[in-house]
């Protein structure tokens, strides 16, 4: 049986990440998505956010940058 996800924001994030094939767990995706949103709102530069996402998730820099862009575009507005 399918399980319900936590929110429309996480549905949007997981859908986008699955489409891109980014290698990240759901738990890490939520943590890194929250980090990206909070950091972006506080004015931190996107490259610094991506670097922190890479540090915390183990994603390579390119995937972390892609993740950060996706999170800011689809997760943050719904969160």
């Amino acid at each position: 049986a399918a399980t319900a996800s936590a929110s429309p924001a996480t549905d949007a994030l997981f859908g986008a990440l699955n489409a891109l094939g980014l290698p990240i767990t759901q738990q890490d995706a939520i943590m890194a998505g929250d980090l990206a949103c909070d950091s972006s709102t506080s004015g931190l530069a996107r490259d610094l956010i991506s670097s922190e996402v890479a540090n915390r998730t183990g994603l390579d820099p390119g995937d972390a940058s892609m993740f950060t862009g996706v999170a800011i575009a689809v997760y943050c507005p719904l969160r």
Side-chain angles (χ1 to χ4, degrees), residues 17-76:
L17 296 176
N18 286 336
L20 293 171
L22 287 177
I24 188 170
T25 66
Q26 289 188 354
Q27 182 178 350
D28 280 351
I30 293 169
M31 176 275 303
D34 289 339
L35 170 70
C37 296
D38 295 343
S39 298
S40 176
T41 336
S42 67
L44 195 61
R46 184 174 158 175
D47 61 332
L48 296 176
I49 298 169
S50 296
S51 178
E52 188 60 26
V53 166
N55 289 338
R56 292 196 187 188
T57 63
L59 289 172
D60 69 43
D63 284 347
S65 179
M66 191 180 317
F67 175 90
T68 300
V70 166
I72 290 170
V74 302
Y75 182 62
C76 300

